[in-house]
Amino acid sequence: PAKSLQTEEEKKSGKEAFPPEVKAQDIWDFDGSAIVTAEAASGPSSDVQAMVFPNTDVKYLKDIGTIHETFGKERLFLLVNPFWRNVESWGFNILAPNAKKMAQEAIFDCEGGGFKETYVLSRFSARGEDCVALKAYPNDWELFAYLEDYSFGNPVQTPIRLGSSKESPKASTFTDLLNEREEFKMNKTMRLLNRNKS
């Protein structure tokens, strides 16, 4: 619970272990976006809200600003699967000329230091290899590439850990790591040709 918001009545209720009541409300019915609220049995200081599938429309920026202001920095407010990477995702829009500035204020510079990435799974292709970067707060990015395993006849994609990165990785990061690994000295096509010769 948000201790600074918790009332004496909430502290004495003994309901902190009770499950929350979860409610979902569509934002727009055509794009899958919604507000999901978990109302804690112990009281509002433990409530959690999540905005699911927000995109770069100004309506979402206004809603995010309103919810963040109402909820405050003490309670958890999540943005789940947003359709943006950074403020540059807003680009130029003649119908919303200030959208980029609004996004910067509502998401990246808001009170409390802005929203932090807590779980991200990004797929990459480097040197023709299928790669994945996984970020799970508070850890660094974990980097993987898939290697074909023919032990059971048909190829099974097996993840091989390449390393980690403090910064968000790029395809060039994966290329450098792949070049260092013996099992990836040959690219996927060459491995397949080599296997077919055997």
Side-chain angles (χ1 to χ4, degrees):
K3 298 291 184 193
S4 64
L5 300 177
Q6 197 175 29
T7 64
E8 287 301 316
E9 185 179 318
E10 286 178 302
K11 290 176 188 175
K12 295 177 184 176
S13 73
K15 295 181 179 179
E16 287 185 356
F18 288 18
E21 181 179 346
V22 179
K23 299 176 181 178
Q25 176 185 352
D26 288 343
I27 297 174
W28 279 341
D29 61 359
F30 61 85
D31 68 355
S33 61
I35 294 287
V36 180
T37 305
E39 294 178 349
S42 62
S45 69
S46 297
D47 289 354
V48 175
Q49 274 196 327
M51 182 179 285
V52 182
F53 294 130
N55 63 41
T56 57
D57 193 286
V58 172
K59 184 210 182 335
Y60 294 106
L61 295 174
K62 290 177 181 175
D63 289 349
I64 289 167
T66 300
I67 292 168
H68 192 256
E69 186 177 310
T70 304
F71 231 51
K73 65 180 180 181
E74 295 291 324
R75 292 185 281 180
L76 184 59
F77 174 46
L78 304 166
L79 298 175
V80 179
N81 205 19
F83 289 99
W84 62 77
R85 286 244 181 236
N86 54 40
V87 76
E88 298 306 318
S89 298
W90 274 264
F92 177 75
N93 183 344
I94 195 163
L95 300 175
N98 292 323
K100 194 180 220 179
K101 181 180 177 202
M102 284 178 67
Q104 186 69 44
E105 292 170 0
I107 298 168
F108 303 101
D109 293 339
C110 62
E111 182 182 359
F115 289 85
K116 305 284 184 242
E117 292 180 329
T118 55
Y119 183 85
V120 180
L121 182 70
S122 297
R123 295 175 105 26
F124 290 84
S125 179
R127 282 189 26 205
E129 305 291 348
D130 297 322
C131 302
V132 171
L134 174 66
K135 169 77 172 155
Y137 181 84
N139 301 312
D140 294 340
W141 289 88
E142 295 296 325
L143 311 177
F144 300 88
Y146 290 100
L147 188 65
E148 313 80 29
D149 180 359
Y150 289 91
S151 302
F152 302 104
N154 291 330
V156 175
Q157 296 284 77
T158 304
I160 305 293
R161 185 177 180 277
L162 301 175
S164 62
S165 173
K166 291 204 177 296
E167 301 299 319
S168 180
K170 299 178 178 123
S172 61
T173 309
F174 282 98
T175 299
D176 293 343
L177 291 169
L178 288 166
N179 289 339
E180 295 173 4
R181 298 294 295 256
E182 187 62 36
E183 58 266 55
F184 292 102
K185 287 296 179 191
M186 289 190 283
N187 67 25
K188 190 187 302 188
T189 305
M190 293 304 293
R191 289 193 304 271
L192 183 59
L193 288 172
N194 198 33
R195 184 181 186 289
N196 289 337
K197 285 181 185 177
S198 313

